[in-house]
Amino acid sequence: MSEREPLIPPSAVDVDFSDVGWGAARTMSDLETGMWRMEQVQPRLRSPIVAVDVLDEPPDWDRLVRAHEWASRIVPRIRMRVVEPILRLGNPVWAVDPEFDLDYHLSRVRLPEPATFDHALQMCRHFATEPFDRARPPWSAMLIEGLEDGRAVYVVKTHHSITDGLGGIQLMTLLHSRRPEPSPDKPDRPAPQPEQMSSGGAMIEQALDSIRSAPGLIGDLISSTARSAMAVATDPVGAVSEMVGYANSIRRVIAPPPSTGSPLLRDRGLGRWFGVLEVGVDELRAGAHSAGGSLNDAYVAALLGGFRLYHESLGHQLDTIPVGMPVSLRSASDQTGGNRFAAARFAGPAGERDPIERIKQVRAIILELRQEPALGLLDTAAPILARLPTAVLANWYLSQSTALDLQASNIAGMPVPVYLAGARIERMFPFGPAPGCAVMATLVSHVGTCCIGVNLDTAAVTEPARFMLCIQESLDEIVELGHG
């Protein structure tokens, strides 16, 4: 996601939970429908979003269970499964699972001693690659204990059809506590009533929703048509110029990145490897400012520099690589939760050795991309794409995503300490889905630290430990700019 102002998590006792609307949409959007269905015919398109929280100590287990039970009442989506309409005549519907069982979704393990964070991270990777039971709510969480330093790890994975990265931060903002002590007077609500939703019921519910929403859609269409006609009548030259400009923007947005993928990273598979990096927010920002860039520019430039170092260490030269970057389309009026993002693609200047020049080039590219009128074309085209046969859609999407060597996402996180069942969350490492790309890197800021999670396709990056060392070296190089 694009860089944005951090969210300030309120205390649970300060929130009016009677009006919580996170994940309130009853029916999947067309974009979410595609993500849900494609992985059934193409396993490489599985799209779990994974958060790995490092805790200063193991939380009280009974209290953690109660916290999840409370959360499932506050946010009903946690209890909901996906129901497909008959013959897939419409989009899937969310319905409260009549057999919701928290014990299925929340588990607890203890690593054999002595265990390190790397051991826990390896378990998180295996946990993340296990497919969801599609008959149940598509999320799972696990507490990992037994680390030799007395810490613990809490990992949660959710299907991308539930939310994007920013929606996940919104959820954590809502549910995490700002104090270690219990909040006995925090608001509560009854558990949502179980629903015996059938495929036929899902289709009927969508039909009724379409009838109810038709007058508003028709009104919007009439208003939009009237505005367009007025624009043509009052300024025909300007209107035609705007249409031509948008058409050209569409051409630029849908065209493949002007860069071919690295021969070293050509293969794709199902294997995944998790790596983590961290750097101070102020340190990375200072390095960025020395080159006239933002924290996000420096972050992307560091990743690109790492790609160059990795290739050089294996005896290969690198010029540019194809890069994808999700950009949030959310506005203040949008509901929380769900998915609202566009996909930007560009040729990343990985071969540029000068980190200052690399940051400047990245900044110029991203600023230009954000000005593209057709940037949200995927969102606009989603209703058409979702009606394609699933196999056709999956193969098309895979052809687009496998053309990318890197996807990079940046999400503002928690600026103040937060707690999970009494344990303080020291780090919050995000691992975005890597459906087809070689490397998916995600940055979340957490209490003054940039927590970077790197999800590698092991068929593409055959030496992941070497790759992470190269990314670290490039990151150190950019941080050093701020010390000059």
Side-chain angles (χ1 to χ4, degrees):
M1 299 295 169
S2 59
E3 187 179 5
R4 55 183 55 237
E5 290 300 313
L7 302 170
I8 305 296
S11 169
V13 296
D14 298 330
V15 178
D16 179 11
F17 287 105
S18 64
D19 193 35
V20 169
W22 194 95
R26 180 74 167 178
T27 304
M28 281 189 186
S29 70
D30 295 313
L31 176 63
E32 292 159 351
T33 297
M35 291 190 289
W36 176 254
R37 290 175 176 170
M38 286 190 298
E39 65 182 42
Q40 287 187 283
V41 297
Q42 183 48 262
R44 280 189 286 170
L45 293 180
R46 289 173 185 160
S47 54
I49 294 179
V50 179
V52 175
D53 293 346
V54 181
L55 311 177
D56 67 339
E57 62 179 349
D60 178 85
W61 175 250
D62 291 338
R63 184 177 167 186
L64 185 65
V65 172
R66 291 195 301 271
H68 282 76
E69 176 67 29
W70 170 79
S72 74
R73 297 193 299 269
I74 293 298
V75 181
R77 177 55 50 83
I78 294 174
R79 289 177 175 256
M80 290 182 173
R81 64 189 178 101
V82 178
V83 181
E84 286 277 11
I86 292 177
L87 300 177
R88 297 190 172 183
L89 297 175
N91 294 356
V93 172
W94 292 101
V96 179
D97 186 358
E99 299 181 68
F100 178 74
D101 181 2
L102 184 59
D103 289 340
Y104 172 83
H105 296 275
L106 177 63
S107 59
R108 178 188 193 185
V109 297
R110 175 171 288 276
L111 295 173
E113 298 179 0
T116 65
F117 176 68
D118 286 341
H119 293 123
L121 196 60
Q122 184 177 14
M123 176 163 284
C124 292
R125 173 171 59 85
H126 289 301
F127 177 72
T129 54
E130 294 172 354
F132 288 104
D133 181 345
R134 297 173 72 87
R136 299 176 184 266
W139 69 272
S140 298
M142 179 170 60
L143 176 65
I144 304 174
E145 300 173 284
L147 274 67
E148 60 184 0
D149 56 8
R151 296 186 298 175
V153 167
Y154 170 81
V155 54
V156 59
K157 67 171 181 175
T158 58
H159 196 278
H160 205 334
S161 61
I162 295 180
T163 186
D164 54 25
L166 185 55
I169 292 293
Q170 291 172 337
L171 180 62
M172 289 185 287
T173 298
L174 176 68
L175 298 178
H176 281 332
S177 176
R178 287 178 58 182
R179 62 186 188 187
E181 301 81 12
S183 302
D185 299 324
K186 66 183 177 184
D188 204 349
R189 59 168 51 158
Q193 290 297 311
E195 297 175 287
Q196 299 291 341
M197 175 73 71
S198 66
S199 296
M203 186 176 69
I204 292 172
E205 180 165 315
Q206 286 190 77
L208 293 175
D209 286 343
S210 298
I211 294 172
R212 285 191 290 265
S213 62
L217 294 175
I218 294 173
D220 291 343
L221 178 61
I222 293 173
S223 298
S224 176
T225 303
R227 286 194 300 270
S228 298
M230 181 64 70
V232 172
T234 57
D235 183 13
V237 175
V240 171
S241 177
E242 183 176 345
M243 286 188 288
V244 171
Y246 190 77
N248 288 332
S249 180
I250 290 176
R251 176 179 55 78
R252 291 190 296 269
V253 168
I254 66 175
S259 175
T260 56
S262 161
L264 282 184
L265 309 176
R266 182 176 293 122
D267 294 336
R268 298 290 188 271
L270 293 175
R272 294 292 180 264
W273 193 91
F274 283 1
V276 300
L277 300 164
E278 58 182 83
V279 61
V281 170
D282 291 340
E283 289 181 287
L284 187 56
R285 184 172 287 130
H289 287 177
S290 69
S294 68
L295 183 146
N296 186 66
D297 301 329
Y299 161 60
V300 175
L303 295 172
L304 294 173
F307 270 78
R308 176 181 60 80
L309 293 171
Y310 176 71
H311 280 71
E312 289 179 350
S313 72
L314 295 174
H316 292 261
Q317 296 300 310
L318 196 62
D319 183 16
T320 62
I321 61 170
V323 180
M325 177 177 291
V327 178
S328 178
L329 298 178
R330 291 180 187 270
S331 65
S333 60
D334 287 332
Q335 290 183 337
T336 54
N339 288 269
R340 289 284 289 128
F341 65 91
R345 299 183 297 175
F346 60 94
E352 175 56 60
R353 291 179 172 275
D354 184 347
I356 293 179
E357 183 61 28
R358 197 183 322 127
I359 292 172
K360 290 180 178 179
Q361 291 181 23
V362 168
R363 180 166 184 78
I365 291 170
I366 293 178
L367 287 177
E368 184 176 356
L369 282 171
R370 288 176 178 167
Q371 300 303 313
E372 285 286 3
L375 183 60
L377 184 64
L378 179 62
D379 200 43
T380 304
I384 298 174
L385 296 174
R387 301 301 176 264
L388 294 174
T390 303
V392 173
L393 177 60
N395 289 333
W396 171 81
Y397 186 86
L398 193 63
S399 70
Q400 300 297 306
S401 59
T402 53
L404 299 174
D405 285 346
L406 169 66
Q407 289 202 61
S409 182
N410 172 20
I411 308 165
M414 307 289 190
V416 296
V418 286
Y419 298 83
L420 182 66
R424 181 167 58 87
I425 299 176
E426 295 183 334
R427 295 289 185 270
M428 187 180 293
F429 291 108
F431 295 92
C437 64
V439 177
M440 175 70 200
T442 310
L443 182 154
V444 166
S445 54
H446 181 75
V447 199
T449 298
C450 295
C451 300
I452 303 171
V454 183
N455 186 356
L456 306 175
D457 184 328
T458 53
V461 182
T462 55
E463 297 191 36
R466 179 196 295 259
F467 180 84
M468 292 302 298
L469 289 174
C470 292
I471 298 292
Q472 182 68 66
E473 182 179 344
S474 178
L475 186 62
D476 292 342
E477 183 181 44
I478 286 179
V479 168
E480 188 62 30
L481 294 176
H483 298 159

